[in-house]
PDB file of all heavy atoms in Angstrom:
ATOM      1  N   TYR B 103      67.752 118.807 170.582  1.00  0.00           N
ATOM      2  CA  TYR B 103      67.318 118.292 169.283  1.00  0.00           C
ATOM      3  C   TYR B 103      68.376 118.593 168.222  1.00  0.00           C
ATOM      4  O   TYR B 103      68.769 117.720 167.448  1.00  0.00           O
ATOM      5  CB  TYR B 103      65.983 118.920 168.885  1.00  0.00           C
ATOM      6  CG  TYR B 103      65.470 118.393 167.578  1.00  0.00           C
ATOM      7  CD1 TYR B 103      64.735 117.213 167.529  1.00  0.00           C
ATOM      8  CD2 TYR B 103      65.744 119.038 166.380  1.00  0.00           C
ATOM      9  CE1 TYR B 103      64.290 116.701 166.333  1.00  0.00           C
ATOM     10  CE2 TYR B 103      65.305 118.529 165.174  1.00  0.00           C
ATOM     11  CZ  TYR B 103      64.576 117.369 165.163  1.00  0.00           C
ATOM     12  OH  TYR B 103      64.152 116.855 163.974  1.00  0.00           O
ATOM     13  N   TRP B 104      68.832 119.825 168.244  1.00  0.00           N
ATOM     14  CA  TRP B 104      69.845 120.251 167.273  1.00  0.00           C
ATOM     15  C   TRP B 104      71.120 119.419 167.420  1.00  0.00           C
ATOM     16  O   TRP B 104      71.700 118.951 166.445  1.00  0.00           O
ATOM     17  CB  TRP B 104      70.130 121.736 167.497  1.00  0.00           C
ATOM     18  CG  TRP B 104      71.153 122.313 166.583  1.00  0.00           C
ATOM     19  CD1 TRP B 104      70.993 122.624 165.269  1.00  0.00           C
ATOM     20  CD2 TRP B 104      72.499 122.664 166.932  1.00  0.00           C
ATOM     21  NE1 TRP B 104      72.163 123.135 164.777  1.00  0.00           N
ATOM     22  CE2 TRP B 104      73.100 123.177 165.761  1.00  0.00           C
ATOM     23  CE3 TRP B 104      73.243 122.596 168.110  1.00  0.00           C
ATOM     24  CZ2 TRP B 104      74.420 123.613 165.752  1.00  0.00           C
ATOM     25  CZ3 TRP B 104      74.552 123.027 168.085  1.00  0.00           C
ATOM     26  CH2 TRP B 104      75.127 123.533 166.915  1.00  0.00           C
ATOM     27  N   LEU B 105      71.531 119.207 168.661  1.00  0.00           N
ATOM     28  CA  LEU B 105      72.724 118.402 168.923  1.00  0.00           C
ATOM     29  C   LEU B 105      72.531 116.961 168.463  1.00  0.00           C
ATOM     30  O   LEU B 105      73.401 116.366 167.850  1.00  0.00           O
ATOM     31  CB  LEU B 105      73.041 118.398 170.417  1.00  0.00           C
ATOM     32  CG  LEU B 105      73.938 119.487 170.965  1.00  0.00           C
ATOM     33  CD1 LEU B 105      74.091 119.292 172.465  1.00  0.00           C
ATOM     34  CD2 LEU B 105      75.303 119.453 170.302  1.00  0.00           C
ATOM     35  N   ALA B 106      71.353 116.418 168.773  1.00  0.00           N
ATOM     36  CA  ALA B 106      71.088 115.013 168.472  1.00  0.00           C
ATOM     37  C   ALA B 106      71.083 114.765 166.970  1.00  0.00           C
ATOM     38  O   ALA B 106      71.527 113.733 166.501  1.00  0.00           O
ATOM     39  CB  ALA B 106      69.752 114.579 169.073  1.00  0.00           C
ATOM     40  N   ARG B 107      70.584 115.736 166.207  1.00  0.00           N
ATOM     41  CA  ARG B 107      70.471 115.547 164.757  1.00  0.00           C
ATOM     42  C   ARG B 107      71.707 116.026 164.016  1.00  0.00           C
ATOM     43  O   ARG B 107      71.778 115.949 162.800  1.00  0.00           O
ATOM     44  CB  ARG B 107      69.237 116.289 164.237  1.00  0.00           C
ATOM     45  CG  ARG B 107      67.926 115.667 164.694  1.00  0.00           C
ATOM     46  CD  ARG B 107      67.709 114.312 164.047  1.00  0.00           C
ATOM     47  NE  ARG B 107      66.462 113.693 164.454  1.00  0.00           N
ATOM     48  CZ  ARG B 107      66.390 112.525 165.077  1.00  0.00           C
ATOM     49  NH1 ARG B 107      67.482 111.867 165.369  1.00  0.00           N
ATOM     50  NH2 ARG B 107      65.229 112.004 165.401  1.00  0.00           N
ATOM     51  N   MET B 108      72.672 116.531 164.761  1.00  0.00           N
ATOM     52  CA  MET B 108      73.871 117.068 164.143  1.00  0.00           C
ATOM     53  C   MET B 108      74.732 115.922 163.616  1.00  0.00           C
ATOM     54  O   MET B 108      74.950 114.936 164.303  1.00  0.00           O
ATOM     55  CB  MET B 108      74.640 117.833 165.211  1.00  0.00           C
ATOM     56  CG  MET B 108      75.739 118.675 164.665  1.00  0.00           C
ATOM     57  SD  MET B 108      76.386 119.670 166.040  1.00  0.00           S
ATOM     58  CE  MET B 108      77.578 120.613 165.148  1.00  0.00           C
ATOM     59  N   THR B 109      75.202 116.048 162.382  1.00  0.00           N
ATOM     60  CA  THR B 109      76.043 114.986 161.840  1.00  0.00           C
ATOM     61  C   THR B 109      77.465 115.480 161.608  1.00  0.00           C
ATOM     62  O   THR B 109      78.320 114.724 161.187  1.00  0.00           O
ATOM     63  CB  THR B 109      75.471 114.464 160.506  1.00  0.00           C
ATOM     64  OG1 THR B 109      75.163 115.580 159.691  1.00  0.00           O
ATOM     65  CG2 THR B 109      74.224 113.637 160.737  1.00  0.00           C
ATOM     66  N   SER B 110      77.701 116.759 161.890  1.00  0.00           N
ATOM     67  CA  SER B 110      79.025 117.320 161.609  1.00  0.00           C
ATOM     68  C   SER B 110      80.083 116.740 162.545  1.00  0.00           C
ATOM     69  O   SER B 110      79.777 116.201 163.608  1.00  0.00           O
ATOM     70  CB  SER B 110      78.957 118.835 161.744  1.00  0.00           C
ATOM     71  OG  SER B 110      79.997 119.320 162.541  1.00  0.00           O
ATOM     72  N   ARG B 111      81.324 116.878 162.154  1.00  0.00           N
ATOM     73  CA  ARG B 111      82.403 116.358 162.996  1.00  0.00           C
ATOM     74  C   ARG B 111      82.626 117.251 164.205  1.00  0.00           C
ATOM     75  O   ARG B 111      83.418 116.944 165.084  1.00  0.00           O
ATOM     76  CB  ARG B 111      83.682 116.206 162.175  1.00  0.00           C
ATOM     77  CG  ARG B 111      84.205 117.511 161.591  1.00  0.00           C
ATOM     78  CD  ARG B 111      85.039 117.245 160.353  1.00  0.00           C
ATOM     79  NE  ARG B 111      85.267 118.459 159.592  1.00  0.00           N
ATOM     80  CZ  ARG B 111      86.373 119.197 159.672  1.00  0.00           C
ATOM     81  NH1 ARG B 111      87.338 118.838 160.479  1.00  0.00           N
ATOM     82  NH2 ARG B 111      86.511 120.285 158.969  1.00  0.00           N
ATOM     83  N   TRP B 112      81.943 118.393 164.250  1.00  0.00           N
ATOM     84  CA  TRP B 112      82.072 119.297 165.397  1.00  0.00           C
ATOM     85  C   TRP B 112      81.156 118.902 166.543  1.00  0.00           C
ATOM     86  O   TRP B 112      81.106 119.561 167.559  1.00  0.00           O
ATOM     87  CB  TRP B 112      81.764 120.734 164.975  1.00  0.00           C
ATOM     88  CG  TRP B 112      82.682 121.221 163.906  1.00  0.00           C
ATOM     89  CD1 TRP B 112      82.357 121.454 162.600  1.00  0.00           C
ATOM     90  CD2 TRP B 112      84.079 121.515 164.030  1.00  0.00           C
ATOM     91  NE1 TRP B 112      83.462 121.875 161.903  1.00  0.00           N
ATOM     92  CE2 TRP B 112      84.536 121.921 162.760  1.00  0.00           C
ATOM     93  CE3 TRP B 112      84.987 121.472 165.100  1.00  0.00           C
ATOM     94  CZ2 TRP B 112      85.861 122.284 162.519  1.00  0.00           C
ATOM     95  CZ3 TRP B 112      86.305 121.825 164.858  1.00  0.00           C
ATOM     96  CH2 TRP B 112      86.734 122.228 163.579  1.00  0.00           C
ATOM     97  N   LYS B 113      80.390 117.821 166.331  1.00  0.00           N
ATOM     98  CA  LYS B 113      79.382 117.447 167.319  1.00  0.00           C
ATOM     99  C   LYS B 113      79.960 117.255 168.714  1.00  0.00           C
ATOM    100  O   LYS B 113      79.437 117.773 169.690  1.00  0.00           O
ATOM    101  CB  LYS B 113      78.689 116.168 166.860  1.00  0.00           C
ATOM    102  CG  LYS B 113      77.614 115.714 167.801  1.00  0.00           C
ATOM    103  CD  LYS B 113      76.788 114.629 167.160  1.00  0.00           C
ATOM    104  CE  LYS B 113      75.755 114.131 168.126  1.00  0.00           C
ATOM    105  NZ  LYS B 113      74.746 113.324 167.456  1.00  0.00           N
ATOM    106  N   ASN B 114      81.087 116.502 168.797  1.00  0.00           N
ATOM    107  CA  ASN B 114      81.681 116.255 170.115  1.00  0.00           C
ATOM    108  C   ASN B 114      82.095 117.550 170.792  1.00  0.00           C
ATOM    109  O   ASN B 114      81.927 117.717 171.996  1.00  0.00           O
ATOM    110  CB  ASN B 114      82.879 115.323 169.989  1.00  0.00           C
ATOM    111  CG  ASN B 114      82.433 113.897 169.779  1.00  0.00           C
ATOM    112  OD1 ASN B 114      81.317 113.541 170.140  1.00  0.00           O
ATOM    113  ND2 ASN B 114      83.283 113.091 169.182  1.00  0.00           N
TER     114      ASN B 114
END
Side-chain angles (χ1 to χ4, degrees):
Chain B
Y103 182 85
W104 180 75
L105 271 179
R107 291 292 180 240
M108 192 173 183
T109 48
S110 131
R111 61 205 166 98
W112 300 109
K113 181 168 177 166
N114 284 337

